Amino acid sequence: MMKRAENIIVGISIGDLNGIGSEVVLKTFEDSRMLELCTPVIFANVKIMSFIKKNLDSTIILHGIDKLDQILPGKINIFNLWKEGVDLNLGTNDEKIGEYAIKSFTASTKALKDGLIDVLVTAPINKYNIQSEEFKFPGHTDYLNQELDGNALMMMVQGNLRVGLLTDHVPLNKVSSYLTEALITKKIETIKKSLIQDFSINKPKIAVLGLNPHCGDGGVIGNEDDSILKPTIEKIFNKGTLVFGPFAADGFFGSGQYEKYDAIIATYHDQGLIPFKTLSFGNGVNYTAGLNKIRTSPDHGTAYDIAGKGQADYNSFKEAVYLAIDIYRSRIQHSEISENPLKAKEK
């Protein structure tokens, strides 16, 4: 249950320790003003974080804790999730490091679930070295969907640009088989609810991109747009949701048409993420909408090629922290208005 809008506790899963995750985390909190906005708790080990800090010539002070009831505001808290030493080989793919990434992620997810942290920001993982008998998920989102109530939807956010996905980590040759009226309806309702409670947009306008080139050109280049997307969108629109489309994806972003909508829903991963990452200039955030808890992450991967060199740009991670805080506050406000509609009228 949400309890406050101040001193928000931001849990951080450390991700792949051989990548740039720990670097962007530490760089984000080198700015002491961040500690006025939130209290970070990094799920890792103070010894390994001190090693990484030394490698970066960072001067920040880390506060090690062994229990989550020892969290101190105004400090960069490191929850000692393990005691043993960890051998790092920065910039390399290591299954053992993948085990620590998942240990950090699952522990921080449990803390989020139990209300011991308020929001979760996840540093990048390697989707290959995290696989094991205990963890058989393609990434963060699928595990969160299992552990937290709701219907997870991958949404990329940068300012007023919000791009959600009908299908996310699905092979391209299987996308059309996933597009059903039930899925489209569920995803549109999820993104509408998120825009209202997470972004304080009372009557959101949503655009849906077509699957095929030119939305199928009347069936010449595929019939999914006319037979599935269009009638489903019309049905949802007639029930009061301001959803429009399908729109031909090729010119939608280049023409600036996206600026007319509060969110755009792409039918598959690259259709949405390529234009998003082109427009967001490294400041984008991956937000898991549709859950009862808040999780964000930067929009980049482990970047092994620059790991340990001090070259990583931390803006995306910092924006992920900001967005998690903003959404947490928006949900508090939305909850208060829902409980007392007169407050909305007074405003």
Side-chain angles (χ1 to χ4, degrees):
M1 183 177 179
M2 293 186 177
K3 50 190 176 295
R4 61 193 181 281
E6 300 80 24
N7 191 28
I8 294 168
I9 299 175
V10 177
I12 298 169
S13 65
I14 200 57
D16 192 309
L17 287 160
N18 278 339
I20 63 169
S22 49
E23 177 181 339
V24 298
V25 171
L26 293 180
K27 282 181 173 179
T28 293
F29 291 100
E30 279 182 342
D31 185 345
S32 60
R33 292 173 297 181
M34 294 295 293
L35 300 180
E36 297 172 11
L37 290 174
C38 65
T39 298
V41 184
I42 303 170
F43 287 70
N45 172 276
V46 73
K47 289 182 180 178
I48 197 71
M49 294 307 295
S50 296
F51 169 81
I52 294 167
K53 168 192 156 183
K54 184 177 179 181
N55 187 60
L56 293 171
D57 291 325
S58 174
T59 59
I60 63 173
I61 299 172
L62 305 177
H63 174 66
I65 60 173
D66 296 314
K67 296 180 180 179
L68 290 175
D69 60 9
Q70 298 172 338
I71 295 170
L72 286 181
K75 302 288 185 182
I76 301 169
N77 297 272
I78 312 293
F79 176 45
N80 289 310
L81 194 56
W82 60 81
K83 301 293 184 183
E84 69 274 13
V86 178
D87 293 326
L88 296 185
N89 190 359
L90 295 171
T92 63
N93 178 7
D94 185 335
E95 288 186 7
K96 189 66 179 176
I97 295 301
E99 292 177 13
Y100 286 106
I102 291 307
K103 184 177 288 190
S104 175
F105 174 51
T106 54
S108 57
T109 299
K110 185 177 187 305
L112 181 68
K113 193 174 179 178
D114 294 343
L116 300 175
I117 59 177
D118 297 317
V119 300
L120 174 62
V121 183
T122 58
I125 54 174
N126 181 316
K127 289 182 173 61
Y128 301 100
N129 68 29
I130 60 170
Q131 303 301 319
S132 68
E133 286 300 314
E134 293 75 34
F135 194 92
K136 295 181 178 180
F137 299 88
H140 291 116
T141 305
D142 302 270
Y143 180 79
L144 290 166
N145 197 43
Q146 172 187 281
E147 295 298 310
L148 305 174
D149 293 333
N151 296 300
L153 180 143
M154 184 175 175
M155 186 194 296
M156 307 303 293
V157 181
Q158 200 272 315
N160 291 327
L161 174 61
R162 306 174 191 91
V163 178
L165 302 179
L166 283 180
T167 63
D168 40 49
H169 297 127
V170 173
L172 195 56
N173 65 352
K174 295 182 180 179
V175 169
S176 61
S177 65
Y178 278 76
L179 296 182
T180 63
E181 180 179 334
L183 175 79
I184 297 164
T185 302
K186 182 174 75 172
K187 295 292 186 180
I188 290 174
E189 286 303 313
T190 296
I191 207 166
K192 176 185 176 182
K193 180 181 177 182
S194 178
L195 291 169
I196 293 170
Q197 74 169 10
D198 299 336
F199 297 93
S200 302
I201 302 169
N202 291 329
K203 294 181 179 179
K205 291 176 63 179
I206 302 166
V208 180
L209 301 181
L211 172 66
N212 298 299
H214 313 297
C215 292
D217 264 348
V220 177
I221 320 176
N223 59 17
E224 292 89 352
D225 296 280
D226 287 334
S227 64
I228 302 172
L229 282 169
K230 189 175 181 180
T232 303
I233 291 167
E234 287 179 353
K235 187 179 289 188
I236 297 168
F237 179 86
N238 290 334
K239 290 181 179 179
T241 297
L242 298 178
V243 58
F244 306 88
F247 294 100
D250 57 352
F252 188 83
F253 290 93
S255 66
Q257 198 171 3
Y258 70 93
E259 295 175 342
K260 300 175 183 178
Y261 300 93
D262 299 302
I264 299 96
I265 303 182
T267 51
Y268 57 93
H269 186 278
D270 284 11
Q271 184 189 63
L273 266 67
I274 289 173
F276 176 83
K277 291 190 177 186
T278 302
L279 292 166
S280 65
F281 300 105
N283 293 313
V285 177
N286 179 359
Y287 169 49
T288 307
L291 300 178
N292 66 341
K293 298 288 185 178
I294 297 160
R295 174 261 178 169
T296 62
S297 72
D299 69 352
H300 57 73
T302 54
Y304 286 146
D305 57 320
I306 60 169
K309 298 178 181 178
Q311 299 173 4
D313 186 336
Y314 64 95
N315 280 320
S316 182
F317 189 88
K318 181 176 69 173
E319 291 297 327
V321 174
Y322 285 155
L323 182 63
I325 293 169
D326 288 345
I327 292 174
Y328 187 86
R329 290 172 174 165
S330 180
R331 285 197 180 185
I332 290 176
Q333 185 180 44
H334 178 76
S335 177
E336 289 174 348
I337 290 172
S338 297
E339 291 171 7
N340 184 4
L342 291 176
K343 281 190 175 183
K345 291 183 179 180
E346 290 169 2
K347 291 181 180 181

